[in-house]
Each structure stands twice: as structure tokens, then as C-alpha cells.
Amino acid sequence: MEKYKILLELALHRYDEVNRRNEIIDSKSKSMIAFIGVMLTIEFSAIPALINIFNKTPITNGVRILLFLGIASICCYLLSIAYFISAVNPQKKFEEAPVMDELISSGNDELDELVAKNIVSLKKCVDKNHNLIENKARKSKIGFDFLKYGVILTVILIILFILMNWR
């Protein structure tokens, strides 16, 4: 029985680790969604200023570059937010650890067998949750890459905008 107790403790510890990782990934993804919302707000609030430039100056290569950078950065932000949302809202649900009420109510005759079965079902649960988290982490990484590109494009856009209006 002692070997099953150790295996059960290890399995429960692993389940707790996987559960914490799930919460961390969800928390980071939600923070990134909020940050992207701020970036999109900044980008969209800059549109009237860009329209003002378009009305004052003829369409030059500089204006075309600004327009391209603005559209490209917004696209990067939208792709990024889509990946973060899909990471937070997965298609499959996170599985709960199996309920082990049978262990408490059963007699000692079947206890070893029940503990062994529950260890196996707990391991399957942990494996499924681990795969789900790996998928979430992959989506979050892709979302972060798009966010990074969007921020770079926004910084370039701001620098060029300032340089074009420097007089």
C-alpha cells in the first residue's frame, strides 16, 4: 500500500503543477489581451491625425509608408489578440482530478486495486491537461510574436510620423 501512496502523492503533485501552469498561462494571456486593447485604442485614436496629414499633403511615398505601417500593425494586433483569446478559451475543457470517494468507503480487500486504478486515471487526466496546456502555450507564443511585430511597427510608425511633421 505504501508504494501506491507515494505514486498517488506524486500524481497529485503533478496535477497541481499542471493546474498552476494552466492558471499562469491564462493570466498572462488575459494581460496581453488587455495590453493589445490599449495598443489598438492608441492606433485607432491616431487615425484622425493621419487623415489630417492625408488631407494636407499629396499622397507621397512617406504617407504611403505611414499608411502601410498603420494597417500592418493593426493586423498584427488583431492576429495577436485572436491567438491569445483562443489560448484562454480552448476547445477542450481542463479535466478535473478523478473523485476518489470509493477509496474512503471501501474495505481493505480492494483498496490496493482501487488505488492503482485511480492512479492510472489521474495520470491520464494529467496527460490530457498537459497536452491542452502545451497547445495553449503554443498559441500564446504565436500571439506574443504577433504582438512584438505590431509594437515594432507602431514604434516605427510613430517615429516616421514625428519626423514627417517636424518643422
Side-chain angles (χ1 to χ4, degrees):
M1 181 62 184
E2 190 64 31
K3 67 178 179 180
Y4 289 129
K5 183 178 177 185
I6 293 170
L7 287 173
L8 186 60
E9 287 176 10
L10 288 172
L12 288 171
H13 177 69
R14 179 71 177 133
Y15 178 82
D16 289 340
E17 283 180 5
V18 169
N19 194 27
R20 269 193 304 279
R21 187 169 177 221
N22 182 52
E23 291 170 4
I24 289 169
I25 289 174
D26 281 353
S27 174
K28 287 181 179 181
S29 293
K30 289 173 185 176
S31 297
M32 290 294 103
I33 290 169
F35 177 72
I36 294 167
V38 170
M39 294 303 291
L40 282 171
T41 301
I42 291 169
E43 290 264 343
F44 284 122
S45 65
I47 289 176
L50 288 174
I51 291 173
N52 193 23
I53 287 177
F54 296 150
N55 290 336
K56 288 182 181 177
T57 61
I59 303 284
T60 62
N61 286 338
V63 174
R64 285 188 183 112
I65 291 172
L66 285 179
L67 184 62
F68 170 77
L69 288 172
I71 292 171
S73 64
I74 288 172
C75 289
C76 285
Y77 291 137
L78 292 176
L79 286 169
S80 177
I81 205 165
Y83 274 101
F84 282 123
I85 288 172
S86 69
V88 172
N89 188 16
Q91 302 293 335
K92 297 178 182 175
K93 299 235 181 219
F94 197 76
E95 291 196 21
E96 294 182 13
V99 178
M100 300 186 195
D101 291 336
E102 297 172 15
L103 291 177
I104 298 166
S105 63
S106 72
N108 285 338
D109 301 342
E110 311 164 351
L111 195 56
D112 285 349
E113 186 178 319
L114 286 173
V115 171
K117 285 180 183 177
N118 279 296
I119 289 172
V120 170
S121 62
L122 183 59
K123 183 188 179 319
K124 288 178 184 176
C125 172
V126 168
D127 289 343
K128 284 182 182 179
N129 290 344
H130 178 74
N131 290 336
L132 196 131
I133 290 171
E134 288 300 316
N135 189 32
K136 283 182 165 191
R138 185 182 51 76
K139 288 178 182 178
S140 292
K141 184 188 177 316
I142 294 169
F144 187 75
D145 287 342
F146 278 115
L147 173 63
K148 182 173 51 176
Y149 301 139
V151 168
I152 290 170
L153 291 171
T154 300
V155 168
I156 294 170
L157 172 74
I158 292 169
I159 291 170
L160 286 177
F161 181 76
I162 291 170
L163 290 174
M164 285 180 65
N165 289 307
W166 193 289
R167 293 173 201 202

